[in-house]
Amino acid sequence: MGKRVEIGKTGIHVTPIGFGANTIGAHNLFQNIDEDVSRETLRAALAEGVDFFDSAFMYGLGRSEELIGEVLAETGSRSDVILATKAAHIVTDSGVKLDNSPTFLAESVDSALKRHQTDYIDLFYIHFPDGVTPPAEAVGALQRLKEAGKIRAIGVSNFTMDALSLANKDGYVDVVQDKYSLIYPELEKDMIPYCVESDISFVPYTPLASGLLTGKFTASNPPQDFRKERPHFQGQSYIDIIAKVNSLQILADKYDVSIANIVLATTLSVDGIDVVIPGAKSPEQVQSNMQTLRAALTRDEATQVRELFK
Ligand code: NAP
């Protein structure tokens, strides 16, 4: 087993390259999801030594969690891995609502346990604030589920800085998950320093900027799916980012890894970040992302990469 790190102060230890499962069985979010590929990708992750899986009810309306549970049962791996998941959404024919009420969170944990075929979730996040439930009350409900042994650690995701400080009034928040990458460093200003001061681990989502930071796209070959509508995938911004990404090839050659590995290793060098959870759509992507563990960037190199994108 390779290097393992503690997630904040949770007592939970993982390999620092986790698995973001938002495409696994996620028929509601992506087109042409093939569940056999999802299963193969999960099996490849386990075979590669991935031991931290990040899911949510919203990824396939429970299907991502179910497929993770299925593959863990098939491989007998539940006790070898750390399961993180999230809830807040109620999806009906008339739309999507958010709910952070204690009753809803307790029911969500119970249903996530069933879908994962387990009797504890290692890390349970409130996926989005509902804007109604006082944040400390919602987190207090998770604290009671922690005391009952149903979850081991408490997370919040997509909270503003103000909502986070309210949520952490009693010091119960263990992990914050929010959007952060080399091209989206905004949370370095306040949220990440707050996490460092408060012994909270910050888990960045979209660390590869949805594939933009992998080096596989070129100026003349942008993605042709939903991503082409996003600002960073258009115009001069896209051209500039691609040029910066390509310039990382020198470091990638030095460590004999990919550009995506350099990006993930740089992200892991940020104070407050213990683990990354790149999404992977295929066994090859999981295998490639795990090579990040070989990229032992110096502090100066990591700083230079971060500065390049600012
Ligand atoms: P990401 O990690 O920045 O990008 C993942 C995408 O990049 C993959 O789906 C794949 O897409 C491409 N990719 C990954 N590895 C690659 C490789 N080695 N080579 C080439 N392409 C590669 O974005 P993300 O998956 O959206 O975010 C990561 C995780 O964060 C999610 O899976 C989820 O668990 C979590 N998340 C949480 C929230 C939240 O609200 N809390 C929001 C978003 C995400 P293609 O093959 O299609 O290019």
Side-chain angles (χ1 to χ4, degrees), residues 3-280:
K3 172 189 158 196
R4 296 179 98 223
V5 292
E6 181 174 4
I7 304 179
K9 60 177 188 313
T10 59
I12 295 173
H13 292 79
V14 293
T15 300
I17 309 297
F19 182 101
N22 75 343
T23 65
I24 298 299
H27 304 282
N28 60 329
L29 303 179
F30 299 91
Q31 287 180 339
N32 306 321
I33 291 293
D34 178 336
E35 293 198 358
D36 286 336
V37 175
S38 292
R39 287 187 190 88
E40 279 309 314
T41 307
L42 289 169
R43 289 183 193 116
L46 291 170
E48 286 293 315
V50 173
D51 59 6
F52 182 44
F53 292 85
D54 183 87
S55 191
F57 166 75
M58 206 47 192
Y59 308 162
L61 306 183
R63 197 65 192 129
S64 170
E65 298 172 321
E66 278 172 0
L67 288 168
I68 291 170
E70 215 181 271
V71 170
L72 291 181
E74 158 202 305
T75 51
S77 315
R78 168 63 188 105
S79 57
D80 301 329
V81 306
I82 297 302
L83 292 176
T85 194
K86 326 179 189 75
H89 301 79
I90 299 177
V91 181
T92 62
D93 289 345
S94 47
V96 180
K97 259 185 18 186
L98 294 170
D99 193 342
N100 297 170
S101 65
T103 308
F104 176 78
L105 292 175
E107 286 167 6
S108 297
V109 167
D110 283 341
S111 54
L113 290 173
K114 286 200 191 94
R115 288 191 292 271
H116 283 102
Q117 304 185 38
T118 187
D119 55 7
Y120 65 97
I121 299 289
D122 298 278
L123 168 57
F124 196 88
Y125 293 93
I126 301 171
H127 200 162
F128 278 84
D130 67 4
V132 179
T133 311
E137 187 180 322
V139 167
L142 291 186
Q143 176 66 16
R144 290 193 292 281
L145 294 165
K146 186 172 172 179
E147 286 157 9
K150 292 190 178 190
I151 66 174
R152 294 176 66 199
I154 295 173
V156 298
S157 184
N158 300 300
F159 277 46
T160 61
M161 192 53 239
D162 286 348
L164 171 58
S165 44
L166 290 171
N168 196 37
K169 181 172 82 57
D170 301 307
Y172 292 152
V173 175
D174 297 304
V175 182
V176 164
Q177 185 177 126
D178 216 316
K179 182 172 167 169
Y180 176 83
S181 68
L182 292 180
I183 60 164
Y184 194 82
E186 275 73 355
L187 298 182
E188 285 177 9
K189 288 191 208 115
D190 52 6
M191 194 171 284
I192 296 180
Y194 173 85
C195 288
V196 171
E197 275 164 31
S198 315
D199 269 342
I200 292 173
S201 187
F202 182 85
V203 176
Y205 70 66
T206 57
L208 295 171
S210 307
L212 180 54
L213 300 178
T214 60
K216 69 180 171 183
F217 297 121
T218 62
S220 57
N221 179 30
Q224 291 307 316
D225 55 19
F226 65 95
R227 288 174 283 200
K228 69 181 176 194
E229 310 302 332
R230 295 191 177 167
H232 285 315
F233 284 90
Q234 293 178 11
Q236 196 56 42
S237 165
Y238 176 71
I239 305 283
D240 291 348
I241 292 168
I242 292 295
K244 289 176 185 176
V245 169
N246 288 341
S247 74
L248 300 181
Q249 189 62 53
I250 296 169
L251 264 186
D253 289 343
K254 174 178 171 186
Y255 289 99
D256 192 21
V257 295
S258 70
I259 287 176
N261 295 146
I262 297 297
V263 169
L264 293 174
T266 303
T267 308
L268 276 172
S269 76
V270 175
D271 205 15
I273 296 181
D274 302 309
V275 292
V276 287
I277 47 165

